[in-house]
Amino acid sequence: MDRRAFLSALGTGWLVQTAGEHPPRIAGQVVGASHAAGHLLRGGAPVVSSAVVRAVVQEKADVVIVGGGVSGLSAAWRLAPAGLDVAVLELEPRPGGTSTWGEEGAVPHPWGAHYLAAPNVEARAALRLLQEMGAVTGWDAAGRPVFDPRRLCHAPQERLFYDGEWHQGLVPTDALSIAERDEMARFLDIEEALTVRRGADGRPAFQIPLDMSSRDPDLLALDRLSMEAWLDREGFRTPFLRWYVRYAMLDDFGGAPEDVSAWAGLHYFAARKLRTPELEGSHFLVWPEGNGRLVKALIERARPRIMLGSLAMAVHDLPQGGVAVDYLDVARHEVRRIEARAAVLATPAFVTRRLFPAAAPMLPVRTSSPWLVANLHVEDRFEPNLPWDSILYEAEGLGYVDAAHQLTDLAATTVPASALRAPRRQTVLTYYRAFGGADTTAARSMLLGSAWEGLADGVLRDLAPAHPHLREVLGRMDLMLWGHAMPRPRPGFLGERPFETTCALGPRIAWAHVDQPGMALFEEAQARGVRAAELLAGDMGVVLGESWL
Amino acid sequence: MSASEASVPPPNEAPEVPEAPGQDAVAGPPRRAARAALLASVFVIATSGLIYELITGTLASYVLGDSVAQFSFVIGLYLFAMGIGSYLSQYLESKLLERFVEIELGVALVGGLSAPLLFKVYTASGAFRVLLYGLVLLIGMLVGLEIPLLIRLLKFSLDLKQLVARVLTLDYIGALVASLLFPSLLLPRLGIHQTGLFFGLLNAFVALGSTFLFPITRADRFRLRALCALTVLVLGAAFAMVTQFVERAEAIYFGAPVVHSAQSPYQRMVLTQSPRTTRLFLNGNLQFSSDDEYRYHEVLVHPAVAALGRDPRRVLILGGGDGLAARELLRYPSVEQVTLVDLDAVVTDAFRTLPIATRLNQGALTDRRVTVRNEDAYKFLEGCTESFDLAIVDFPDPGNYAVGKLYTDAFYQLLRERLGVRGVVVVQATSPQYARESFWTIVTTMEAAGFMTAPLHVYVPSFGEWGFVLAGGEGLAAPGGLRIEASTLRYLDSAGLPELFRFPRDIGRVAAPINRLNDQKLVAIYTREWSVWTR
């Protein structure tokens, strides 16, 4: 009999039950993103007229980058060796885009992207950054990167709340029916075959960077199917496998299988090629603040001038050469202008169209998935076997990750016993929910129209099957409402001319965003930024040396 | 009513006016027997009151930690509550004997059941403190009511001078008896639940006895005796059940009385003491027994020093918060500096201060050469720039992922960076007999981190066959002789040294995986192997 059972047994029979429970109040707020300011763009002229317009040129830079997400900062990172004056215009109070993070509370935590799968050897820019950060410590004889073991997601990685209890790992093998297990095995076989498959042109069927994937028409034909239709076609019918694929599609693309291209869906399962003994346990690179750590690394190396609270409103190709960007300084409520030799628009397609209408015909039309991210600051008993990722089968959301999991310092999150309370452990759990349905507009207005109370309550209800008493250990819950979190690779997203996307929008203007490939991967975002920087450097006559791509 | 009832009247105050007959239930002076019984009950009340206070204080420090603060709060609150009770006693005006019996039963029930109640609520976290301080307040108030009540009941048979002297003397003696008996006899022998229930029963019997000795109306007498019987029944049943549970869980579990226990954020520490033996348990797992720990710690330390091949000066101990490895190490006069890194201050504090513990480690943790750092060993190594001649790694077995991190290749690589090229490390590596694959997994993992290894083992009766991994750089070899006079040791000698390094066939090397941070195979292997033996 364990201690808990013993103590409960002791209590039964003659002891009165604890006094009635009253749910404790939870603090929290919606912390972003800045929809109100962002949506000013839709208004166009009226906003400009209501703000004080400074006609004079306010600022100058060598390169101005619109958007301080991974693409924009990667462009700055690529330009850093040239010693240029690079200005980054960012609307939000913290850079990083959907890789942004929070520092409040016991441990830094992600507000968006929270891990990076070990990049393929071909994703050279990503590996270069990781090496600069020390996360890649060297290269093995086969030319594969060697990772700092502290960065690879520590064991145990995942657990699934299935049929009323937690199971280690994402697949609760013991609890599944034979049919479910067989289908799972068949699916993994297909995954493995596709991972090593090459198209008729000799390229890998699925690769990261995306544009190194095969052009084989048989493979590209998958883009005309939805992932759902592919599962039907291949005869995958068991509930568990359908859920498993649905979970993966929502987790990576924010879209349900019926609204995601089968090519993209299979890319998710078959694009990771790196196989080493060190990666067997987990090939996820994890930091407490998620990909916020990668953003920090980019900033530390690039050291651009980041102008937070700046909403770019229009980009002008100047007749005398160079570019000008008009932007709203949100705090001062005045429109200012920054002139530069070149500009990178590291913004989604729908924003880029408004900033620089001349380029509109060149830009793809993307659907973006709305997301809700909640950070739950909890304080609970120390439990030595908690995994990084906790997932609830058939829940609305995608579960949560534990920000403190990857710390090697147990003491860092411990609250020592004091006179008034027992010793506890503090952490931040980051909960994700993607709105994967086809009608993203309705989902977005529902999300942005909801108050904190309703949304926070929804998060607690979603986690309640596994954590009925979460309120009792919850100190605060903050929410981030991502209206446009990521492009959704819908069927047909590869378009007429797959992998050939526009980078140059004008002589001195380049576009860098994951809306180009249509899939939100860190490596893609980074490669797009690097490519934009290298393109503009050529235009400006700045020597950057060999390409980093 | 005069406020001076319970105390000596100020000299200027007019002599007290006797209360009108009938206002108190006692028509005339109680008989001698009744008076003796009342005085005896003063003693019982004083003793049991303090016992309840000690029980709640002890439980508070078990559960909430920080015993100084907990005892301080409980004592303060209890005395304050007694003050409230004393104040309220003035409002009890009629049927004082009946009230006395009722209050006595209240004390019996609340005090007697306080420990099991608190333990029950302990599992339902939040309410613990509310209940704790509520119970202390309630018991204090009831006891506070009783003493003034007794003085009033006795005031007709004794004069004020004698009355106050006797009541207060018995009150204070009772407190002394309780405070001596509780830690020395009651807590270790009877257990915390049984002590409370035993004194609860004692209170109930005092109440029952009172109904025979005091002049109480027949109707009341019947009612009160029924109440007494009910209370005795409840407490008796609780006593029987609690004994059954506690015997099974604690005494049988730990095999001896618990003399010290503390809860840290990470683990529960229990020290037990039988006449011959002291044992340390962490989360219920035996860490050492004073009967044979010398075997374990001599084999942990001395072969490593011998393998070093030179005088150890700067030594790192990771884990080992009991100070027993440090004790062995400090036998070498060459040792200049020992850095002991143990996460848990609850353990190192206990082994620095408790006499029962410092007798065992010979005060190693207060030795001027020893620096204790309460940090995560992983974090310590990441930030450490010093280098050491010798590292002694004595962590708990890799039974969970938090400890398992300290058995990974990444951890051993960090450790290797902290040892000079000629440095040596020794790692406690669980039992090669009960957890053979686990043991060899640790060896394999250390080798993967670049160490040469020389595994060794010893029989420790409390544990069975136990294993260690001695490791170092190129050229490490099993030592040929000790660097310490064998006569200063209890187990090891140079002649027996080679035998430690020879592994009989049933514990010999097996193929084993590397334990990595992102794939802690060791935790699963260890759990599987030990479950066979602990089922």
Side-chain angles (χ1 to χ4, degrees):
Chain A
M1 192 172 1
D2 72 7
R3 180 179 172 74
R4 190 168 284 266
F6 158 59
L7 291 169
S8 327
L10 203 62
T12 48
W14 78 90
L15 295 171
V16 272
Q17 207 51 42
T18 330
E21 291 167 19
H22 55 93
R25 244 179 215 293
I26 305 160
Q29 58 179 342
V30 173
V31 299
S34 310
H35 311 287
H39 286 166
L40 290 178
L41 259 189
R42 295 200 292 218
V47 182
V48 180
S49 63
S50 77
V52 184
V53 181
R54 294 286 168 98
V56 286
V57 171
Q58 294 296 321
E59 292 162 73
K60 279 192 179 296
D62 287 322
V63 177
V64 60
I65 295 173
V66 181
V70 171
S71 294
L73 294 171
S74 295
W77 173 64
R78 181 62 188 99
L79 291 168
L84 300 172
D85 174 23
V86 176
V88 177
L89 302 179
E90 170 58 51
L91 171 61
E92 300 295 336
R94 211 193 277 276
T98 48
S99 289
T100 196
W101 74 99
E103 299 269 359
E104 313 75 23
V107 50
H109 45 274
W111 270 122
H114 55 289
Y115 70 93
L116 171 62
N120 290 348
V121 175
E122 291 77 10
R124 292 177 56 207
L127 290 170
R128 174 189 287 265
L129 178 67
L130 290 172
Q131 189 165 22
E132 287 179 3
M133 295 166 67
V136 165
T137 53
W139 307 83
D140 68 10
R144 296 171 305 189
V146 176
F147 295 94
D148 179 344
R150 279 171 290 179
R151 293 282 56 87
L152 295 168
C153 186
H154 297 171
Q157 282 88 14
E158 292 143 348
R159 62 174 174 174
L160 179 70
F161 192 76
Y162 181 86
D163 205 10
E165 57 184 352
W166 287 109
H167 296 258
Q168 252 198 38
L170 191 50
V171 182
T173 314
D174 294 341
L176 297 182
S177 70
I178 293 171
E180 283 173 316
R181 265 185 264 180
D182 286 351
E183 270 203 359
M184 199 69 216
R186 185 157 68 88
F187 186 82
L188 294 178
D189 284 346
I190 293 179
E191 177 178 329
E192 186 57 37
L194 286 175
T195 304
V196 296
R197 179 166 166 189
R198 285 176 184 270
D201 54 2
R203 295 174 188 244
F206 303 100
Q207 179 60 292
I208 300 169
L210 230 61
D211 58 12
M212 290 170 83
S213 302
S214 171
R215 268 72 171 167
D216 188 329
D218 287 352
L219 289 164
L220 294 180
L222 288 166
D223 186 39
R224 291 197 292 272
L225 283 181
S226 72
M227 193 61 191
E228 174 111 321
W230 182 85
L231 289 171
D232 289 339
R233 193 185 82 183
E234 299 294 321
F236 288 110
R237 290 192 183 83
T238 59
F240 185 81
L241 188 114
R242 300 292 283 222
W243 171 84
Y244 176 80
V245 173
R246 183 185 178 79
Y247 180 85
M249 296 303 100
L250 285 168
D251 196 37
D252 234 40
F253 306 128
E258 56 271 22
D259 204 29
V260 166
S261 152
W263 191 93
L266 293 170
H267 181 279
Y268 170 85
F269 291 106
R272 301 285 168 191
K273 316 289 185 194
L274 211 54
R275 298 282 162 85
T276 66
E278 290 77 15
L279 296 176
E280 256 170 42
S282 171
H283 65 286
F284 288 173
L285 295 156
V286 176
W287 297 267
E289 64 272 59
N291 291 9
R293 182 67 69 88
L294 295 164
V295 172
K296 285 186 203 168
L298 287 169
I299 293 170
E300 275 165 26
R301 268 142 201 87
R303 301 217 162 276
R305 276 196 285 142
I306 300 181
M307 298 154 71
L308 300 172
S310 304
L311 172 69
M313 310 209 61
V315 177
H316 308 283
D317 209 348
L318 297 179
Q320 67 273 28
V323 291
V325 178
D326 294 332
Y327 68 95
L328 177 70
D329 182 323
V330 176
R332 298 190 211 169
H333 202 62
E334 62 181 29
V335 176
R336 301 161 74 91
R337 172 169 284 202
I338 182 165
E339 278 191 13
R341 292 162 66 192
V344 176
L345 305 189
T347 45
F350 73 93
V351 172
T352 311
R353 259 192 289 277
R354 292 191 189 274
L355 292 178
F356 194 55
M362 294 187 262
L363 300 171
V365 176
R366 298 292 183 206
T367 301
S368 46
S369 306
W371 280 68
L372 165 71
V373 181
N375 270 308
L376 288 78
H377 296 250
V378 298
E379 199 172 304
D380 205 353
R381 271 165 206 278
F382 171 69
E383 211 285 278
N385 291 322
L386 279 185
W388 171 59
D389 196 1
S390 297
I391 298 156
L392 283 71
Y393 184 67
E394 286 184 335
E396 301 270 10
L398 299 165
Y400 59 87
V401 292
D402 178 354
H405 179 79
Q406 202 70 2
L407 297 178
T408 44
D409 183 7
L410 218 51
T413 50
T414 304
V415 191
S418 72
L420 293 173
R421 60 180 179 188
R424 303 203 138 202
R425 174 179 178 266
Q426 290 183 323
T427 190
V428 180
L429 306 176
T430 310
Y431 166 95
Y432 294 88
R433 180 171 173 194
F435 296 84
D439 191 351
T440 54
T441 314
R444 193 172 298 125
S445 28
M446 185 284 294
L447 185 62
L448 303 189
S450 302
W452 176 86
E453 287 77 10
L455 293 169
D457 202 49
V459 173
L460 291 178
R461 260 186 285 116
D462 196 29
L463 295 175
H467 301 292
H469 304 297
L470 188 53
R471 273 174 186 278
E472 288 163 24
V473 296
L474 185 58
R476 78 177 280 124
M477 182 190 323
D478 293 323
L479 302 176
M480 180 78 83
L481 315 181
W482 294 111
H484 307 271
M486 51 169 67
R488 179 181 300 176
R490 287 181 144 164
F493 86 107
L494 288 176
E496 294 302 312
R497 290 172 293 120
F499 315 120
E500 287 171 31
T501 44
T502 326
C503 180
L505 301 182
R508 296 290 179 96
I509 303 173
W511 184 43
H513 195 267
V514 287
D515 269 1
Q516 283 173 23
M519 273 166 61
L521 292 165
F522 178 83
E523 296 96 317
E524 286 297 330
Q526 211 201 2
R528 304 292 152 171
V530 167
R531 177 181 295 177
E534 291 179 350
L535 183 83
L536 293 179
D539 292 348
M540 291 187 294
V542 172
V543 180
L544 285 182
E546 208 180 309
S547 173
W548 287 4
L549 293 176
Chain B
M1 179 167 293
S2 162
S4 61
E5 266 187 339
S7 61
V8 181
N12 294 338
E13 197 172 307
E16 201 176 329
V17 184
E19 285 167 288
Q23 189 177 353
D24 279 0
V26 192
R31 288 163 293 168
R32 276 190 80 81
R35 190 176 76 191
L38 279 174
L39 284 172
S41 51
V42 171
F43 178 77
V44 171
I45 290 160
T47 314
S48 51
L50 197 73
I51 292 284
Y52 301 141
E53 189 183 337
L54 292 169
I55 286 173
T56 42
T58 305
L59 276 177
S61 53
Y62 277 8
V63 173
L64 303 174
D66 198 352
S67 54
V68 174
Q70 294 311 333
F71 269 103
S72 167
F73 288 168
V74 167
I75 291 171
L77 195 62
Y78 182 79
L79 290 176
F80 171 66
M82 281 181 67
I84 299 177
S86 300
Y87 179 80
L88 292 179
S89 70
Q90 64 186 304
Y91 299 110
L92 294 179
E93 294 187 0
S94 60
K95 293 198 163 186
L96 288 194
L97 276 170
E98 288 83 347
R99 294 295 91 79
F100 171 75
V101 173
E102 286 160 5
I103 292 167
E104 185 72 16
L105 288 176
V107 174
L109 271 178
V110 179
L113 291 175
S114 58
L117 264 176
L118 283 167
F119 252 69
K120 162 66 182 163
V121 169
Y122 173 44
T123 54
S125 55
F128 181 81
R129 267 188 298 278
V130 177
L131 183 68
L132 171 75
Y133 298 126
L135 284 175
V136 171
L137 212 59
L138 193 58
I139 298 170
M141 277 171 60
L142 289 172
V143 173
L145 270 170
E146 277 189 299
I147 301 290
L149 216 56
L150 276 166
I151 292 178
R152 278 161 62 185
L153 286 169
L154 285 163
K155 72 180 175 189
F156 298 104
S157 65
L158 287 168
D159 68 41
L160 189 62
K161 193 166 61 182
Q162 273 182 320
L163 177 59
V164 172
R166 291 202 195 168
V167 168
L168 291 185
T169 305
L170 285 169
D171 185 19
Y172 293 132
I173 291 177
L176 176 70
V177 169
S179 61
L180 291 178
L181 282 183
F182 183 75
S184 62
L185 192 69
L186 296 171
L187 187 60
R189 290 301 155 100
L190 199 54
I192 198 156
H193 300 288
Q194 291 89 336
T195 300
L197 291 166
F198 175 77
F199 278 86
L201 281 167
L202 217 57
N203 288 139
F205 283 122
V206 166
L208 187 62
S210 311
T211 63
F212 289 98
L213 291 170
F214 300 151
I216 299 176
T217 63
R218 179 172 301 188
D220 276 332
R221 203 178 304 158
F222 179 75
R223 183 177 60 86
L224 290 173
R225 284 182 192 164
L227 279 176
C228 288
L230 195 65
T231 307
V232 168
L233 209 66
V234 167
L235 292 173
F239 193 94
M241 290 169 75
V242 134
T243 308
Q244 195 184 344
F245 278 118
V246 171
E247 266 181 10
R248 203 177 294 161
E250 287 223 330
I252 291 179
Y253 193 62
F254 291 120
V258 174
V259 288
H260 176 83
S261 85
Q263 175 72 48
S264 83
Y266 318 102
Q267 54 199 355
R268 185 170 175 75
M269 169 188 171
V270 168
L271 267 173
T272 69
Q273 171 86 72
S274 67
R276 235 165 27 84
T277 313
T278 307
R279 290 196 176 89
L280 169 68
F281 295 84
L282 294 178
N283 286 339
N285 300 316
L286 179 64
Q287 302 298 303
F288 72 75
S289 164
S290 61
D291 288 335
D292 54 16
E293 58 79 15
Y294 61 90
R295 280 187 165 227
Y296 177 103
H297 290 102
E298 286 183 10
V299 173
L300 175 68
V301 172
H302 301 297
V305 174
L308 186 63
R310 59 179 195 273
D311 286 337
R313 296 184 193 288
R314 299 161 55 76
V315 183
L316 176 65
I317 300 179
L318 301 177
D322 54 24
L324 298 175
R327 173 197 69 198
E328 292 303 317
L329 202 58
L330 293 171
R331 298 188 196 280
Y332 295 90
S334 67
V335 168
E336 291 161 5
Q337 192 202 320
V338 177
T339 306
L340 189 151
V341 182
D342 192 298
L343 181 61
D344 206 338
V346 160
V347 175
T348 52
D349 287 351
F351 279 87
R352 197 164 25 206
T353 54
L354 293 178
I356 182 182
T358 54
R359 263 201 305 278
L360 280 173
N361 65 24
Q362 296 169 9
L365 297 188
T366 46
D367 190 288
R368 59 174 180 77
R369 291 168 287 176
V370 177
T371 313
V372 175
R373 301 180 59 155
N374 295 118
E375 280 180 62
D376 189 308
Y378 209 117
K379 179 75 183 167
F380 171 82
L381 285 184
E382 282 181 318
C384 181
T385 51
E386 293 175 68
S387 77
F388 300 92
D389 300 318
L390 176 64
I392 292 164
V393 182
D394 192 13
F395 294 130
D397 280 4
N400 67 53
Y401 289 95
V403 180
K405 278 179 191 176
L406 308 174
Y407 288 85
T408 56
D409 58 343
F411 180 79
Y412 294 132
Q413 273 157 16
L414 279 177
L415 185 58
R416 202 157 65 89
E417 287 165 22
R418 299 275 60 83
L419 297 172
V421 268
R422 290 161 62 228
V424 164
V425 57
V426 63
V427 174
Q428 95 81 6
T430 191
S431 166
Q433 180 190 9
Y434 300 129
R436 185 172 175 187
E437 193 184 344
S438 303
F439 176 80
W440 292 106
T441 298
I442 297 169
V443 176
T444 306
T445 304
M446 293 184 75
E447 288 170 353
F451 279 116
M452 296 273 292
T453 62
L456 65 159
H457 66 101
V458 64
Y459 181 69
V460 183
S462 298
F463 291 160
E465 203 63 40
W466 211 257
F468 308 87
V469 187
L470 188 58
E474 211 61 45
L476 175 99
L482 294 170
R483 288 183 77 84
I484 190 165
E485 194 56 51
S487 63
T488 63
L489 305 179
R490 294 174 68 187
Y491 174 73
L492 268 184
D493 56 29
S494 288
L497 209 48
E499 190 59 25
L500 301 178
F501 292 87
R502 204 186 73 79
F503 277 72
R505 291 178 46 197
D506 65 342
I507 58 173
R509 184 148 196 167
V510 287
I514 298 170
N515 189 45
R516 300 181 200 275
L517 267 180
N518 65 347
D519 195 6
Q520 287 194 30
K521 293 199 163 78
L522 179 59
V523 174
I525 296 170
Y526 176 87
T527 310
R528 167 172 53 74
E529 288 187 317
W530 273 95
S531 68
V532 174
W533 298 94
T534 50
R535 275 295 117 205

